[in-house]
Each structure stands twice: as C-alpha cells, then as structure tokens.
Amino acid sequence: MSAATDGDLRDERTLQTSPLRKLLARPELGSVVGALAVLVFFALAADGFLRAASLGTVLYASSTIGIMAVPVALLMIGGEFDLSAGVLVTSSALVSSMFSYQMTANTWVGVGVSLLVSLAIGAFNGFVLTRTRLPSFIVTLGTFLRLTGMNLGFTKLIDGTVSTKTIADMEGFPSAHAVFASTLTLGGVDVRVTVLWWFALVALGSWILLRTRAGNWIFAVGGNQDAARAVGVPVARTKIALYMGVAFGAWVSGQHLLFSFDAVQSGEGVGNELIYIIAAVIGGCLITGGYGSAVGSAIGALLFGMTSKGIVFAEWNPDWFKFFLGAMLLLATLLNAWVRKRAEATK
C-alpha cells in the first residue's frame, strides 16, 4: 500500500474520532444549549432561582416528568408512540390502592399486583401493535380511552366516588412511602426520592441503548423495521419490551402519586402523555424514530422543570407556561435539525 494511501486512511480515522464531530452527533446537544439558555434566563429574571431550596423544587418537578420521559424516549427511538402513558400512571395507582384497601392486604401486595397489571397493559399494547400492524397512534389511543373509562367506572363502582379511600393507616404504607415518596437531605438540599428513581432510569436507559445488543435493536427497529427484520432483529419482541418499559415507568410514577397523597383521583393523568413526548422531542428524539438518547430526555424534562418553576419564582402569570413550553418545543426541534445537518456535514 502506498504512503499516500496510508496517509488518507490515517486522515479518515482522525476525522471519525474528531471531538467536534462526536459532539455535533450527540442527540442531546440542542437540548443542552436550550437548558443553559433557560437556566441563565431565569437566574437573571427570578430572584432565588439558584438557591438550594429552589434547586430541590426544580429537580422534583423535572423528575416527575423525567421518570416517564426516559422509557417514552426509548419507545420513540424504536419508532413508536404511547398515548396511554399519562392515564396509565393513574391506572397503576388506582389498582395498587383499591386492591390493598378492598383485600385488606399489606400495601406492598397492592404494589406488586399493580406492577403486574401495568406490565400486562404495556405488553398488550405491544402485542396488538405487532400483530395488527396498526399505527401506534390508533392502538394506544384506544388504550387511552379504555383506561380513562375504566379508571372512572371502577373507582365509582368499588369506592362509590371518583377517588379512592385513604390507605395511610394500612400495614406497609410507611415503607412504601419511603421507597416511592420520601424526601432525603443531600448536601443541605431536600431531594425527593423520585429524583433518584429518575437518575437510575436515565443510567439504565443509557446503558441499554449504548452498551447492549437490545440497544442496537431499538435503533435498528426505529430506523427501518423491515431492514432490521431482514437481518434477524426480533422486531416484535423489541417493541413489546419497549411498551412494557413505558408501563414500568408508569408504575413507578403511579406509586409515587399514591404514596404522596395516600389517595388517588380517578381523572388524573389525562394529557400528561403529551408532556412526556414533548420532553423526549426537546431532548433530541425524532418523531420518525431511530435517533435520540435517554440523557436527552432527562435534559428535556429538566427544561420542563426549570420553566414551570422559573415562571413561579419570577412571579409571572402561570397561564404563560404552555406558551413557553410550545416555544421550547419548536426551537429545540429546529436546533436539533440544525445539529444533525452539521453532524452530517462533518462526515
């Protein structure tokens, strides 16, 4: 091989490992820029935004979205949506509460039954999707409507009202509260345990995407499922697992909802599925699938938390929150598109 050819190969290898190219190729780059801009903006506009107590509040608001945004992001990378994710959070809380109360069982029994029911609903969504080849929009919209009706119907049938009975005095409640709804003091900052759940799910999601064969399957299925199937990727199994992942996130969020207030309103959760999707999109996930990251979804959730609480700290009218959320979604999408073009231009 000639010296010139050797030099060309060395140059190509250098280009492939360029730090700038790696940075531009990261899906979450746009959301990082957006998060820094929002942080600086509210640090200047809102007194006390950077205080330790405010940080704990922002992290808590972010974690309640981030716990669901991580599995939703993985599902979107796999090329699908779940419009039932928001109401499934309420369903998991209702099952846990009503089973524990009606069966006079330890609250941990209700928590376990709720996990099985939630995973079964997720598996059902994935199974119907893969068997019928219907769009995920239709499949999960149907689940959303069924769960909405069942939440209200069963709660009224069993408890006679639109909310469950309190389970605060039942055996196992203190330990379940500690796992799902407690507050820890770390470095002088009060941190809700949901923040730890959130960080753990981000770490798990990143490991799956970047370090396992299943992560390769998720990207392949989201990029082109027919091509993925042709090279031996278990498309159906991957999509069912992704929907079950969303169901697991809904179970964690549902238990937090229950053990924070010891009772649940049957109509809660409607509309939250859009917030989870927004957080994932702001974090760099593409609507078309095949691109995104768990870390990006976490940054998208952090943007949501900073904006929602920053408006309060700045003493602005909270009615403007949805306006800022929509603006962030549009700007993040445009920035992510620009980042992808720059990344492709460096190849």
Side-chain angles (χ1 to χ4, degrees):
M1 184 178 291
S2 67
T5 303
D6 289 339
D8 291 341
L9 288 176
R10 283 194 296 270
D11 290 343
E12 179 65 20
R13 288 193 293 268
T14 301
L15 178 61
Q16 290 177 350
T17 57
S18 167
L20 176 61
R21 183 183 178 188
K22 289 182 178 180
L23 178 63
L24 290 176
R26 294 303 305 168
E28 61 272 9
L29 176 60
S31 60
V32 170
V33 174
L36 291 175
V38 170
L39 177 64
V40 172
F41 177 78
F42 281 114
L44 298 174
D47 293 336
F49 182 73
L50 295 180
R51 293 175 184 170
S54 302
L55 176 61
T57 302
V58 168
L59 284 176
Y60 173 59
S62 303
S63 68
T64 57
I65 303 301
I67 287 173
M68 285 299 295
V70 172
V72 166
L74 266 63
L75 180 63
M76 291 182 65
I77 295 171
E80 305 296 347
F81 293 96
D82 191 346
L83 296 181
S84 66
V87 73
L88 182 55
V89 171
T90 305
S91 298
S92 69
L94 290 172
V95 170
S96 182
S97 176
M98 289 191 289
F99 191 89
S100 297
Y101 187 87
Q102 297 299 324
M103 301 300 292
T104 62
N106 186 298
T107 54
W108 281 105
V109 177
V111 169
V113 171
S114 175
L115 175 60
L116 294 177
V117 171
S118 299
L119 292 177
I121 293 172
F124 173 81
N125 280 338
F127 178 78
V128 172
L129 178 84
T130 55
R131 294 290 292 181
T132 65
R133 302 290 184 92
L134 288 172
S136 56
F137 176 86
I138 299 297
V139 173
T140 58
L141 179 60
T143 302
F144 162 81
L145 294 173
R146 291 194 303 273
L147 289 179
T148 302
M150 290 172 63
N151 287 350
L152 181 59
F154 275 116
T155 305
K156 282 187 173 182
L157 178 65
I158 295 174
D159 290 326
T161 64
V162 296
S163 65
T164 61
K165 301 291 193 300
T166 179
I167 61 171
D169 58 347
M170 293 189 63
E171 184 181 355
F173 185 90
S175 58
H177 178 273
V179 172
F180 295 107
S182 59
T183 301
L184 310 173
T185 301
L186 302 175
V189 179
D190 289 337
V191 178
R192 299 294 294 271
V193 72
T194 50
V195 176
L196 303 184
W197 276 101
W198 177 33
F199 288 171
L201 288 175
V202 172
L204 177 61
S206 298
W207 176 75
I208 290 173
L209 285 177
L210 303 178
R211 293 289 184 267
T212 69
R213 184 169 57 177
N216 294 331
W217 292 347
I218 293 170
F219 282 108
V221 168
N224 187 325
Q225 67 174 359
D226 292 330
R229 185 179 290 108
V231 296
V233 173
V235 174
R237 193 169 67 192
T238 300
K239 292 195 175 187
I240 291 173
L242 288 172
Y243 275 104
M244 292 179 71
V246 173
F248 178 79
W251 171 75
V252 174
S253 295
Q255 304 318 295
H256 170 68
L257 177 66
L258 171 62
F259 291 104
S260 291
F261 304 103
D262 68 62
V264 185
Q265 295 287 330
S266 59
E268 294 184 22
V270 176
N272 285 349
E273 61 281 345
L274 296 179
I275 295 177
Y276 307 145
I277 293 173
I278 289 171
V281 172
I282 290 176
C285 290
L286 293 181
I287 300 295
T288 53
Y291 189 79
S293 70
V295 172
S297 72
I299 299 173
L302 182 61
L303 267 165
F304 178 94
M306 286 194 296
T307 303
S308 62
K309 297 307 176 183
I311 289 175
V312 174
F313 293 137
E315 299 182 352
W316 296 346
N317 188 334
D319 294 339
W320 287 97
F321 170 66
K322 291 294 178 65
F323 170 81
F324 280 100
L325 192 61
M328 282 194 303
L329 174 62
L330 179 60
L331 291 175
T333 303
L334 292 174
L335 184 57
N336 288 335
W338 178 82
V339 167
R340 289 198 72 206
K341 289 181 181 179
R342 294 289 297 176
E344 292 171 356
T346 62
K347 293 182 179 180

